[in-house]
Amino acid sequence: MTLNRTKNEFLAEEDIHNIKVSVHIVTYNSQDDILICIDHVLKQSYPIDSIVIVDNASSDCTVEYLRQFLEQRGEQKPPVELIENKVNVGFAPGHNQAIEQTNSDYVLVLNPDVSLEQNYISEIIHCMSSHPEVGSATGILKLKADPSIVDTTGLIMNKAYRAFDRGSGEQASKWSQSGFVFGVSGAAAMYSRKMIRNISINGEFFDNDFFAYKEDVDVAWRAQVMGWKAYYVAEAVGLHERGWKKGGRESIPLFIRKASYINRYKMIYKNERLSSFIKKVPHVLAYEFASNLYFLWKEPKVLQEWGSFYKKRSELKRKRAQIQAVRTRE
């Protein structure tokens, strides 16, 4: 299913450029990518209200490069704000910091290793501004190493609660049709401020307990529970480095693997209804047996992260109660 509206119809409804968009980037040792990323943001055909960069205590030259950039840029618009964290607080808390600094109508959450084509923001805003039920949207992200290959066109989740980047590894030419998706990847995600405010729990849009990985899936699921829709805009194009895929799991730090593992269970606990979970048990059990047997054999340290789940169980229970209390979609 697609939104059957033409660009002229979008423009006829309102002055699109009165809608404010801020761009939020969280960096960590991003010296090779950040200035390229910002350059592509500044070249967007759609006017940007502000750019907020949150650095998570980078140990490379990221902050030095950014300071030099800001000094050379001076008072040019849009304003670029740099927030320097003394410690690495993670992706989710970093982006929550940025969200608190802006009051724009829409927020583009952007990875520093993403380069956007000139009309990326414009294409998405034209769609979202005329369809208030769409709270999040993304374009097609292609691999920088081979732009004929898809990195992501959004998120999907199967019956075993495994989330995937939709279309990953496939030919980009196959994904020319826009349409609704389960959710959008946090690599280049546009969120409406109305949705951010509506689905935030205790003032947090992204769950601060999700240091990294699956925070975008958690948001997508929570948004669906509360009645919001997500959309893929095929005309919006970006390139993504996605460097960690080259080395496989061995190249991913242990603490990231731990976070990715346990965050899946946290989002299931918070967002799923018991009745729905029971229906999916046959699908879940098969995957749980195979995956945890693998971790027990190959990566036993990952399973230690269950300790963090039990330490947070009271907080998770409170979050679940708040989410389920306002559930609007079965």
Side-chain angles (χ1 to χ4, degrees):
M1 183 178 179
T2 60
L3 299 175
N4 297 315
R5 310 288 288 279
T6 68
K7 185 174 291 187
N8 287 334
E9 287 176 314
F10 293 148
L11 289 168
E13 293 180 4
E14 59 181 305
D15 182 2
I16 199 77
H17 293 302
N18 287 332
I19 297 172
K20 294 182 179 180
V21 177
S22 59
V23 178
H24 302 176
I25 307 169
V26 172
T27 56
Y28 177 71
N29 292 343
S30 307
Q31 64 178 26
D32 294 337
D33 303 304
I34 185 57
L35 295 184
I36 298 171
C37 175
I38 295 173
D39 181 60
H40 282 78
V41 170
L42 294 175
K43 290 178 178 176
Q44 288 294 296
S45 60
Y46 191 91
I48 307 300
D49 187 62
S50 64
I51 300 171
V52 179
I53 303 168
V54 178
D55 183 75
N56 272 331
S58 292
S59 58
D60 65 358
C61 294
T62 299
V63 172
E64 180 182 344
Y65 289 174
L66 286 170
R67 287 174 180 169
Q68 291 175 357
F69 165 78
L70 291 175
E71 184 177 351
Q72 294 170 2
R73 183 169 173 76
E75 300 298 322
Q76 296 182 56
K77 293 184 178 181
V80 181
E81 179 181 3
L82 173 61
I83 300 172
E84 299 179 39
N85 288 333
K86 294 182 179 180
V87 297
N88 185 358
V89 299
F91 179 95
H95 273 294
N96 284 339
Q97 279 182 274
I99 288 170
E100 290 175 0
Q101 297 299 309
T102 60
N103 61 359
S104 54
D105 302 297
Y106 292 89
V107 166
L108 177 65
V109 168
L110 187 64
N111 276 12
D113 61 350
V114 171
S115 299
L116 302 178
E117 289 195 359
Q118 190 174 12
N119 293 328
Y120 188 91
I121 291 176
S122 178
E123 293 288 354
I124 290 179
I125 292 300
H126 276 99
C127 169
M128 294 183 72
S129 64
S130 295
H131 297 278
E133 75 277 16
V134 175
S136 60
T138 186
I140 181 171
L141 293 188
K142 305 175 183 179
L143 296 179
K144 280 188 178 180
D146 184 356
S148 69
I149 302 299
V150 171
D151 176 63
T152 181
T153 64
L155 300 172
I156 56 175
M157 189 165 66
N158 66 16
K159 292 181 180 180
Y161 304 107
R162 295 185 65 196
F164 302 93
D165 285 300
R166 196 179 73 138
S168 179
E170 298 183 13
Q171 289 294 316
S173 57
K174 295 181 180 179
W175 293 92
S176 60
Q177 182 66 48
S178 300
F180 290 102
V181 291
F182 170 80
V184 298
S185 166
M190 188 74 77
Y191 298 109
S192 76
R193 181 74 61 171
K194 287 182 180 179
M195 190 188 83
I196 289 173
R197 289 171 177 161
N198 179 241
I199 77 169
S200 291
I201 302 296
N202 299 327
E204 298 175 7
F205 177 58
F206 292 110
D207 190 329
N208 278 345
D209 194 38
F210 285 45
F211 180 92
Y213 283 82
K214 294 187 173 65
E215 69 291 316
D216 50 359
V217 184
D218 177 58
V219 160
W221 196 347
R222 191 186 336 139
Q224 280 206 7
V225 166
M226 297 185 184
W228 292 92
K229 295 181 180 180
Y231 201 75
Y232 162 61
V233 182
E235 294 79 13
V237 180
L239 299 178
H240 192 191
E241 185 68 35
R242 191 77 76 159
W244 64 264
K245 283 188 174 181
K246 298 174 183 176
R249 286 191 63 82
E250 296 77 12
S251 66
I252 306 174
L254 177 61
F255 81 97
I256 293 294
R257 282 178 276 155
K258 284 183 174 182
S260 180
Y261 171 80
I262 205 64
N263 286 351
R264 173 173 167 269
Y265 294 101
K266 289 177 180 177
M267 68 179 187
I268 293 171
Y269 180 80
K270 291 191 304 174
N271 297 304
E272 184 60 292
R273 291 177 303 142
L274 180 60
S275 58
S276 295
F277 179 81
I278 291 173
K279 292 177 182 178
K280 295 174 183 176
V281 163
H283 304 279
V284 174
L285 286 180
Y287 173 71
E288 292 303 313
F289 177 79
S291 64
N292 284 284
L293 185 63
Y294 166 84
F295 284 117
L296 189 63
W297 180 38
K298 290 284 190 179
E299 300 180 37
K301 290 184 178 180
V302 169
L303 298 177
Q304 296 173 359
E305 201 61 15
W306 275 107
S308 73
F309 185 96
Y310 288 111
K311 287 180 182 178
K312 295 281 187 177
R313 62 187 182 277
S314 295
E315 183 179 343
L316 285 166
K317 187 175 181 179
R318 287 195 296 271
K319 290 176 180 178
R320 172 180 172 78
Q322 292 180 65
I323 293 169
Q324 298 305 318
V326 294
R327 175 182 284 277
T328 62
R329 185 172 299 179
E330 294 299 318

